[in-house]
Amino acid sequence: ADDSALPYEMSGGAGAFSATSELGAAVPLAFETRGADVYGVQALLAPGPDKGLVAAVLDDQPLGEPADAYAAKPSSSMRYEYGWRFLGAGRHELRLRSCGKNASALGCGVGVDAIFLQPSPKEEGVLEAESLPLLAASDDPVGSQALALPWSGLRQLSLAARDADGFMVLGLPVDLPTDYTIRARFTQSPEGGQVQASVDGWALGPVIDTYAAAVRLGTETALGTSPVLAPGGHRLRLHLVGKREESAGYHIGVDYLRLLPHGLYEGEGLKILDYSGEPLDVQPMRGFGREWSGGAQLWFRPDHPGAYVSVEVEVGEANKYRIFGYFTKAPDYAIFQLLVDGQGLGGVFDGYEGRVVRSPLVDFGEIELSKGAHQFCFMVVGKNEASTSYMIGVDALLVRAASAPGRPSAQD
């Protein structure tokens, strides 16, 4: 029905209303979700004197408490939160039906302006454990749990092992050729076991004890440091090696993983040493996608060749280093040359692209660096014929010691 007879405007100019105002009146609403997640379900209800208590049934399962949609006079639509529910990708049905009315209501009608699905809140910059590929596991119950604790994404991955030989192997995606500090947040519980983590057969660090007298969300913990990992998929093994005497089981509950690449310098965090005077600031990039490291870039906006911006990069020891970078490509971006302490390194980079994207990883090659601070200069040398300006966007730099140890053979 349209909103022409109502004293307020409905979203899209119309809403869905039950055919009757009798008890049991209902409005079925079908929708699709693109990905599996825990969603908060909200409804924008149309209140009025003939509206009753409105209950939600999602995929034939009750959801939350009923909303009282009665109003003495039709008034602006009311938003009601029915609660959270895990939904797989695909089609679902939300049925809003009347289940009663208050003493003043003239009926039990149902009116709905819109429904909203709110994705679960998630920690920034982490890998949700329950979303990673499960490559292998011991013959023990393994799966995801939802809503019991304020996990990131409101879910965790759990393994209820029967003994100290329990394990699970997760696919671990990395996009930078470097070593990583790997951190995790575990659930602690009276059944928590002691966990050893390894990547491609390389033991990361000390054993992690996940026991606690009561169930609680633990603090983020360092699993250890990996060797240099090539971009692509790797195998993270979480292996139960024992438990405290007072623990009642060998359980693991993993909320998320956080990978901290060594030698990474976020563009938006670089110290500016010098520049040619054109506009220079930090630009948030979430509006263009989630590919940008840190969700932002250093944004330099000259309109001519010869412009430059110099930043400081500090290394902890004298060594030969390999320099990589991620940059933004867009219709108005320049061609630039990277100079390190005044020395040109690698080829020029063409930042032109017909739309705004993050570049693939750019390899500038190797250079000897002394311990301490160095000057990295981005010099505009021209532009693609199709580009409309001379901008530069620096997402991140990776400065990796060329003599870093290699990656071990997989042993999982």
Side-chain angles (χ1 to χ4, degrees):
D2 66 34
D3 59 9
S4 58
L6 297 177
Y8 57 89
E9 183 177 351
M10 304 191 80
S11 173
F17 294 85
S18 58
T20 74
S21 294
E22 302 298 322
L23 183 65
V27 175
L29 302 165
F31 62 91
E32 290 195 3
T33 55
R34 293 183 178 179
D37 199 352
V38 175
Y39 292 91
V41 181
Q42 302 175 6
L44 203 59
L45 301 175
D50 61 341
K51 301 301 188 293
L53 302 178
V54 182
V57 178
L58 179 56
D59 294 339
D60 297 324
Q61 296 295 319
L63 178 66
E65 298 295 325
D68 188 350
Y70 167 78
K73 295 181 179 180
S75 59
S76 60
S77 54
M78 58 175 283
R79 184 186 291 256
Y80 189 78
E81 297 182 2
Y82 280 102
W84 297 88
R85 177 69 59 82
F86 173 73
L87 299 175
R91 186 182 185 277
H92 302 274
E93 182 181 271
L94 177 67
R95 180 175 289 268
L96 297 173
R97 64 175 183 83
S98 66
C99 61
K101 66 184 183 70
N102 69 34
S104 302
L106 302 178
C108 298
V110 178
V112 189
D113 182 359
I115 60 172
F116 301 90
L117 296 180
Q118 178 185 347
S120 59
K122 299 175 179 64
E123 290 282 334
E124 184 75 22
V126 303
L127 299 173
E128 298 292 341
E130 69 278 1
S131 298
L132 294 174
L134 181 66
L135 303 180
S138 54
D139 187 19
D140 296 299
V142 59
S144 66
Q145 293 177 300
L147 298 171
L149 288 174
W151 297 300
S152 174
L154 300 180
R155 286 195 294 162
Q156 72 159 357
L157 180 66
S158 65
L159 171 69
R162 301 176 181 88
D163 52 41
D165 288 330
F167 71 91
M168 53 185 173
V169 181
L170 305 179
L172 189 68
V174 302
D175 60 359
L176 294 172
T178 189
D179 47 340
Y180 291 80
T181 294
I182 301 178
R183 302 177 64 85
R185 186 161 72 179
F186 293 95
T187 296
Q188 298 177 312
S189 74
E191 297 81 28
Q194 295 171 329
V195 184
Q196 173 72 63
S198 62
V199 172
D200 297 344
W202 178 286
L204 289 177
V207 170
I208 306 297
D209 190 349
T210 68
Y211 170 81
V215 178
R216 67 188 185 195
L217 191 57
T219 58
E220 189 175 300
T221 302
L223 300 181
T225 300
S226 78
V228 171
L229 301 177
H234 297 268
R235 297 166 66 88
L236 174 72
R237 181 185 179 105
L238 298 174
H239 189 178
L240 282 151
V241 296
K243 69 179 185 70
R244 286 195 197 184
E245 183 177 348
E246 58 266 41
S247 178
Y250 295 89
H251 291 193
I252 308 173
V254 193
D255 183 8
Y256 64 73
L257 302 170
R258 190 187 302 274
L259 275 60
L260 301 175
H262 295 182
L264 184 70
Y265 298 81
E266 295 288 355
E268 64 273 17
L270 291 168
K271 179 181 177 181
I272 306 300
L273 297 178
D274 188 20
Y275 69 107
S276 51
E278 294 77 13
L280 175 66
D281 49 34
V282 170
Q283 181 186 23
M285 299 301 290
R286 284 286 183 245
F288 299 101
R290 302 191 64 84
E291 298 85 357
W292 280 263
S293 175
Q297 68 167 354
L298 179 65
W299 192 23
F300 184 42
R301 305 191 300 283
D303 59 3
H304 59 89
Y308 67 90
V309 56
S310 294
V311 299
E312 180 177 281
V313 171
E314 186 166 349
V315 297
E317 63 179 7
N319 207 331
K320 180 180 285 187
Y321 287 85
R322 195 169 194 94
I323 313 300
F324 302 86
Y326 280 117
F327 305 95
T328 297
K329 295 170 71 74
D332 49 2
Y333 276 45
I335 298 173
F336 71 78
Q337 172 72 58
L338 173 64
L339 298 95
V340 178
D341 296 334
Q343 174 184 340
L345 186 66
V348 297
F349 174 79
D350 186 348
Y352 172 78
E353 183 69 40
R355 59 189 180 92
V356 179
V357 297
R358 190 179 80 157
S359 73
L361 187 65
V362 179
D363 185 351
F364 290 99
E366 297 181 351
I367 189 170
E368 294 280 352
L369 297 177
S370 60
K371 178 181 178 180
H374 296 269
Q375 184 182 77
F376 282 51
C377 177
F378 302 96
M379 174 71 72
V380 176
V381 296
K383 69 179 184 69
N384 190 292
E385 287 185 0
S387 179
T388 59
S389 193
Y390 294 85
M391 298 186 193
I392 295 175
V394 182
D395 179 23
L397 295 174
L398 176 65
V399 181
R400 194 196 81 195
S403 60
R407 182 164 55 92
S409 300
Q411 297 176 11
D412 286 312

